[in-house]
Amino acid sequence: MRRLRTAVRRLGIGLALLTLVLALAAGFGAILPQPLFAPSGDGGEGTRRILVLSNPIHTDIAIPVDAESLERFSFLRENGVPVDDPAARWMVFGRGGRAFYLQTPTWADLKPLPLLRGLTLDRAVLHVDVLGALDEPTPTVQGYDIGPVAYQRLLETIAADFERLHGQVVPVPDVRYGQTDRFFEATGWFTALAGCNTWTARVLRAAGLRTGVWNPLPVSLAFSLQHFN
């Protein structure tokens, strides 16, 4: 019994130290910019408005429904995403772990196994939706202006994350949150250390925005975006 209590105490201490290390890493990751110096302007004419949408644990990127995005993501309409709806103003992209993302549309649907997969290792999926007009700025919606060259880099970075089979994107069958969204298989793997918010940060850096070197949480990503751009 004494050995069991000792083991439990050591486990508790180990978990506390791990939590402390991760918290410190997240803090330093938010205040160290990547890239270190602001990139030069892209030299194009005009700007494009993009949005970062957030909740307490997840971020998405919203891009305008325009001629460029409709051309680059033409496969969305072919897979049931109503990008041609007259009310559609934004295409929304997010990345997540397959089990957790597909099986947890609301917190009421939370189950232990998908949560465990999301915290360890799982295949990645992309979630795509369309939205109408959005108010900004709000606590959950932040907008940024980027140049046309940066916008093209952003589109290409998002598009490159769609898994393809024989040259075609791979929709996840029979799973969607509503009438306007769709899931697609994504390249690579998902872990809690390289999750949805670090993906958002990576895509934003491709568009010329600066983030922290590691942003595992929406709050740390929002902090770095606010202070480095």
Side-chain angles (χ1 to χ4, degrees):
M1 193 66 181
R2 181 179 299 175
R3 290 181 179 178
L4 178 60
R5 287 197 297 267
T6 301
V8 171
R9 184 165 57 251
R10 288 176 177 174
L11 178 60
I13 293 172
L15 291 175
L17 289 174
L18 177 60
T19 301
L20 177 61
V21 169
L22 291 176
L24 290 173
F28 282 112
I31 64 176
L32 297 176
Q34 184 180 4
L36 186 60
F37 300 104
S40 58
D42 66 19
E45 294 183 2
T47 60
R48 308 293 190 274
R49 189 73 168 170
I50 64 171
L51 306 178
V52 177
L53 314 181
S54 63
N55 64 36
I57 65 168
H58 179 80
T59 53
D60 291 310
I61 296 175
I63 64 173
V65 176
D66 58 21
E68 293 167 284
S69 62
L70 287 171
E71 179 181 5
R72 189 64 191 84
F73 299 104
S74 59
F75 56 81
L76 294 179
R77 68 167 62 88
E78 300 162 6
N79 285 281
V81 181
V83 292
D84 294 318
D85 189 310
R89 296 292 181 270
W90 301 95
M91 296 183 193
V92 182
F93 299 86
R95 181 181 169 100
R98 200 177 195 282
F100 185 83
Y101 219 170
L102 299 185
Q103 299 179 42
T104 318
T106 69
W107 286 114
D109 301 296
L110 183 63
K111 302 179 183 68
L113 184 57
L115 177 61
L116 179 62
R117 294 288 299 273
L119 292 174
T120 53
L121 183 67
D122 198 3
R123 290 292 303 180
V125 293
L126 288 168
H127 181 241
V128 186
D129 203 350
V130 292
L131 296 175
L134 294 172
D135 294 329
E136 56 155 316
T138 71
T140 60
V141 180
Q142 295 294 323
Y144 302 90
D145 292 318
I146 60 176
V149 176
Y151 184 59
Q152 286 299 318
R153 289 199 303 266
L154 180 142
L155 298 184
E156 292 300 322
T157 301
I158 295 174
D161 271 355
F162 283 83
E163 184 73 58
R164 282 172 168 77
L165 181 64
H166 306 304
Q168 303 297 317
V169 297
V170 184
V172 177
D174 304 321
V175 182
R176 54 201 324 173
Y177 289 167
Q179 298 301 312
T180 61
D181 70 313
R182 196 72 193 263
F183 285 94
F184 296 85
E185 302 290 356
T187 59
W189 295 84
F190 178 94
T191 73
L193 299 180
C196 55
N197 304 305
T198 58
W199 177 83
T200 299
R202 177 171 63 84
V203 174
L204 294 174
R205 288 195 296 271
L209 295 174
R210 300 169 77 202
T211 72
V213 295
W214 186 52
N215 298 115
L217 297 172
V219 64
S220 66
L221 178 58
F223 175 89
S224 65
L225 286 170
Q226 178 182 353
H227 285 78
F228 300 143
N229 297 282

